[in-house]
């Protein structure tokens, strides 16, 4: 029997951590639900205040639960592939742009399987677009099926740190993220080399002192 004031819930450090699996391994898992998400990004020469390089536009979205996440969602049994399920979700969340602009298997990056709180696999994709593509997606998103329901809006991730050491990426990282989307963001920034490792580490460190 648990002592008074103690919870029977497993402590976070006792919970099994998500494990990296290959795409093929993930597809052979039985009893797991699959979810696919994508980081859409594009290079830009724009500068904030005409002096702070923005470098890349990276899209995330504010979800219905107030957390940040990447576009995408669960794959249905009627979907013939992971990518078909992902593109269906993208059309619902971001609009008709994804009738022609599709995520394909070549955009696949990684998968993680978990057993808690339920069996599931999250598949992560990254896709480089043009700035014109990004602008079209943002414009179309306001009329998408899930806008104002499951999706509160599309946001751009600031990939710079301002002079105060907090503004920009550190402040953004101090927000609440759904599932493993924060680690997916950092993984994408690293593997695509959108930022240097020291820039990522400094932003992560600064964000920890900016929690409320």
């Amino acid at each position: 029997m648990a002592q008074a004031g103690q919870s029977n819930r497993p402590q976070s450090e006792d919970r099994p951590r998500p494990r990296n699996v290959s795409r093929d391994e993930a597809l052979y898992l039985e009893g797991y639900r699959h979810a696919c998400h994508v980081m859409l990004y594009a290079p830009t020469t724009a500068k904030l205040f005409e002096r702070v390089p923005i470098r890349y536009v990276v899209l995330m979205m504010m979800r219905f639960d107030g957390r940040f996440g990447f576009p995408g969602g669960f794959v249905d049994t009627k979907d013939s592939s992971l990518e078909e399920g992902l593109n269906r979700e993208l059309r619902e969340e971001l609009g008709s742009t994804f009738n022609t602009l599709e995520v394909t298997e070549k955009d696949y990056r990684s998968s993680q399987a978990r057993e808690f709180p339920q069996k599931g696999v999250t598949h992560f994709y990254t896709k480089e677009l043009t700035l014109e593509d990004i602008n079209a997606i943002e414009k179309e998103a306001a009329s998408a099926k899930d806008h104002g329901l499951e999706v509160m809006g599309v946001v751009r991730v600031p990939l710079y740190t301002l002079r105060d050491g907090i503004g920009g990426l550190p402040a953004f990282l101090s927000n609440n993220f759904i599932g493993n989307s924060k680690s997916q963001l950092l993984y994408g920034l690293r593997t695509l080399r959108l930022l240097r490792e020291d820039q990522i580490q400094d932003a992560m460190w600064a964000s920890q002192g900016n929690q409320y």
Side-chain angles (χ1 to χ4, degrees):
M1 179 180 295
Q3 296 180 1
Q6 292 184 342
S7 171
N8 288 321
R9 298 177 182 175
Q11 298 299 311
S12 59
E13 59 268 22
D14 297 329
R15 298 172 182 170
R17 291 180 176 273
R19 66 186 188 281
N20 295 326
V21 294
S22 71
R23 176 191 174 89
D24 289 340
E25 289 172 333
L27 292 176
Y28 277 105
L29 292 173
E30 295 184 0
Y32 286 71
R33 195 172 185 189
H34 296 262
C36 298
H37 298 86
V38 62
M39 186 176 92
L40 304 168
Y41 70 100
T44 177
T45 58
K47 293 184 178 181
L48 178 66
F49 308 133
E50 298 183 352
R51 60 178 176 79
V52 180
I54 293 176
R55 300 187 181 91
Y56 291 89
V57 174
V58 174
L59 294 187
M60 295 190 77
M61 63 186 192
M62 172 69 75
R63 292 162 35 97
F64 62 93
D65 55 10
R67 297 180 175 95
F68 284 105
F70 285 106
F74 286 111
V75 178
D76 292 341
T77 54
K78 63 183 179 182
D79 297 317
S80 63
S81 67
L82 296 176
E83 291 74 34
E84 181 177 311
L86 174 55
N87 285 299
R88 174 184 51 76
E89 285 286 338
L90 294 178
R91 287 191 292 272
E92 294 174 0
E93 294 179 346
L94 299 179
S96 60
T97 306
F98 284 90
N99 287 331
T100 54
L101 184 65
E102 293 191 338
V103 178
T104 66
E105 187 175 340
K106 71 179 180 63
D107 301 312
Y108 168 82
R109 302 294 295 189
S110 64
S111 299
Q112 282 194 320
R114 69 179 189 279
E115 283 69 42
F116 184 89
Q118 63 220 359
K119 288 184 177 181
V121 184
T122 52
H123 304 276
F124 185 53
Y125 296 72
T126 63
K127 188 173 185 66
E128 182 174 357
L129 304 173
T130 66
L131 194 56
E132 290 73 20
D133 291 330
I134 292 290
N135 291 333
I137 290 169
E138 291 174 321
K139 181 178 180 180
E140 184 65 28
S143 58
K145 173 178 174 287
D146 287 343
H147 180 74
L149 299 172
E150 294 184 23
V151 180
M152 298 294 102
V154 177
V155 299
R156 296 187 178 194
V157 181
L159 298 189
Y160 46 80
T161 300
L162 299 180
R163 290 177 179 175
D164 64 0
I166 297 296
L169 185 57
F172 186 81
L173 292 177
S174 68
N175 284 296
N176 199 325
F177 295 80
I178 186 67
N180 61 346
S181 58
K182 182 175 179 179
S183 64
Q184 288 175 334
L185 171 62
L186 297 174
Y187 172 78
L189 296 180
R190 285 189 172 105
T191 58
L192 296 170
R193 298 184 178 180
L194 304 190
L195 288 177
R196 299 192 313 269
E197 180 62 26
D198 64 298
Q199 294 173 319
I200 296 173
Q201 290 291 335
D202 287 347
M204 291 173 59
W205 182 85
S207 71
Q208 295 173 7
N210 194 43
Q211 300 286 344
Y212 292 96

